[in-house]
Amino acid sequence: YIEGTKQNPITLTAMEPIGNHKIIKTKLECEYFVMKHVSVINGLVSSYQTDNHFQNVIFNNDQLLEWNYAVVRTWFGKLLIEDCIINGINQGEGVLVHNCQNAVVRNCEFNKVPDAVEYLNCKNSSIYNNVFNDMNDDGIDLNNCHQVSIYNNEFYNVGDRGLEIGSENMGSSGALSIYNNLFSGCNIAINVKESSNAVVENITFYDNNVNIELITPNDSTRISNLQISKSIFVGDNANIDRDMRSELSIINCSSEVELGFSNTNTVGPILLSDPDNSDYTLQSATLPEGLLLQEIGYWKQ
């Protein structure tokens, strides 16, 4: 247990941050690893088969990390990360979770952290109420993950993909519940690849280079599939990119341009409260029949 208080947090500083950058490494015999009200400076944390709980921890890293050096990396065991802040310089990775059941990352802020949250071979897990800012790679990356819920997250200026759903040669991802998320100024908002599938609703797409990208490998017998509903597309272009083998369904959405996927989608001006100051509350739009203003797009929780 490494537990400070709000008034008196504990600071852990790597004495020699050059090298593998590890500051703490726990294994099975540890059983439980708890950090609360802690500041970790230029140190990486890893665990193997331990039950981890990090709360009110601030990770600051300004080192030139290799691409696979993660601020927090866990194998098996359990993980709950909440109310934390991870600050980087777009080097290394963020929270990297392998083979975990019930992994939870919530109420956190990620600033300039590539692959801020990456789940690999995880099930029955969730990622919610987080903010992702200014990373040069992905915000959330899912590889061979199932029964994962992703909701109430905000993605700003993500340099690659806000949300990547794929396999990385581990098996495709599916049975995902993705709802009430905001993507603003991202290169690609949602990417589905490698025969993965997802159901998505209540998304606000704002000024992204590409809103939706679907890719199915040429040698695959299964297709990538995305179903999206009750979402809004703000901008002069629909920005949808998919290959002919992938399947995309868009229903009951509002857009400023023609989407062309369903006659239940509506086209017309969309007014948000103050997006220049990160207020994306929907004020008015031409709504699909039967939907109320509060039932479409992203609503901050």
Side-chain angles (χ1 to χ4, degrees):
Y1 293 86
I2 305 174
E3 295 189 79
T5 65
K6 184 176 181 180
Q7 292 74 24
N8 294 290
I10 292 171
T11 298
L12 305 177
T13 303
M15 293 180 64
E16 297 181 6
I18 306 302
N20 68 8
H21 308 275
K22 290 284 176 61
I23 195 168
I24 295 174
K25 184 175 183 179
T26 65
K27 293 187 177 181
L28 175 63
E29 294 80 3
C30 175
E31 293 191 15
Y32 299 100
F33 178 31
V34 177
M35 286 200 300
K36 296 183 178 180
H37 294 289
V38 176
S39 175
V40 180
I41 300 175
N42 288 331
L44 309 184
V45 175
S46 71
S47 74
Y48 185 83
Q49 288 191 351
T50 55
D51 185 346
N52 305 293
H53 184 194
F54 304 151
Q55 185 175 26
N56 294 114
V57 180
I58 299 175
F59 297 90
N60 288 301
N61 207 306
D62 61 7
Q63 300 299 298
L64 299 177
L65 301 175
E66 297 293 331
W67 68 270
N68 58 345
Y69 281 5
V71 172
V72 174
R73 190 168 191 175
T74 69
W75 287 265
F76 304 98
K78 298 180 180 179
L79 177 67
L80 170 58
I81 298 181
E82 57 182 345
D83 308 311
C84 294
I85 299 174
I86 298 89
N87 297 315
I89 58 169
N90 276 316
Q91 297 286 318
E93 296 190 345
V95 177
L96 188 54
V97 185
H98 300 261
N99 300 89
C100 187
Q101 299 277 346
N102 302 309
V104 177
V105 178
R106 65 188 183 197
N107 307 323
C108 295
E109 180 181 326
F110 297 85
N111 301 304
K112 295 185 178 180
V113 182
D115 282 354
V117 178
E118 182 170 358
Y119 285 179
L120 304 96
N121 304 313
C122 294
K123 295 183 178 180
N124 303 314
S125 299
S126 58
I127 304 169
Y128 62 95
N129 293 354
N130 302 290
V131 179
F132 301 86
N133 294 309
D134 304 315
M135 52 275 305
N136 61 10
D137 205 330
D138 304 327
I140 295 175
D141 192 353
L142 303 182
N143 298 307
N144 189 28
C145 292
H146 301 270
Q147 289 87 48
V148 177
S149 297
I150 300 173
Y151 58 96
N152 300 353
N153 300 288
E154 299 179 357
F155 302 80
Y156 297 101
N157 305 317
V158 177
D160 199 355
R161 293 155 291 202
L163 173 58
E164 179 186 11
I165 301 168
S167 74
E168 295 298 327
N169 300 314
M170 298 177 219
S172 58
S173 298
L176 309 174
S177 179
I178 302 166
Y179 58 94
N180 203 50
N181 296 282
L182 165 71
F183 298 88
S184 175
C186 301
N187 179 43
I188 300 171
I190 298 177
N191 162 265
V192 181
K193 63 180 185 177
E194 298 164 335
S195 306
S196 298
N197 64 85
V199 176
V200 177
E201 64 179 27
N202 287 99
I203 306 295
T204 291
F205 297 99
Y206 182 87
D207 197 25
N208 302 296
N209 183 40
V210 176
N211 290 318
I212 299 171
E213 181 183 56
L214 276 86
I215 303 172
T216 297
N218 291 329
D219 58 352
S220 176
T221 58
R222 297 167 54 237
I223 63 174
S224 297
N225 181 288
L226 177 65
Q227 301 176 50
I228 184 166
S229 63
K230 294 190 287 186
S231 298
I232 61 174
F233 296 77
V234 184
D236 297 331
N237 195 310
N239 298 334
I240 295 171
D241 186 7
R242 68 180 179 108
D243 58 41
M244 296 306 297
R245 300 191 66 218
S246 301
E247 288 189 357
L248 175 62
S249 170
I250 303 180
I251 61 172
N252 292 334
C253 294
S254 293
S255 173
E256 293 192 321
V257 296
E258 180 62 48
L259 296 174
F261 285 86
S262 169
N263 58 12
T264 65
N265 299 321
T266 58
V267 180
I270 295 174
L271 177 63
L272 306 177
S273 290
D274 189 4
D276 289 338
N277 291 297
S278 299
D279 185 352
Y280 294 81
T281 305
L282 181 60
Q283 294 296 312
S284 65
T286 304
L287 300 176
E289 185 176 356
L291 286 183
L292 302 175
L293 201 66
Q294 295 80 8
E295 296 175 319
I296 190 168
Y298 168 75
W299 289 83
K300 194 175 185 70
Q301 302 298 308

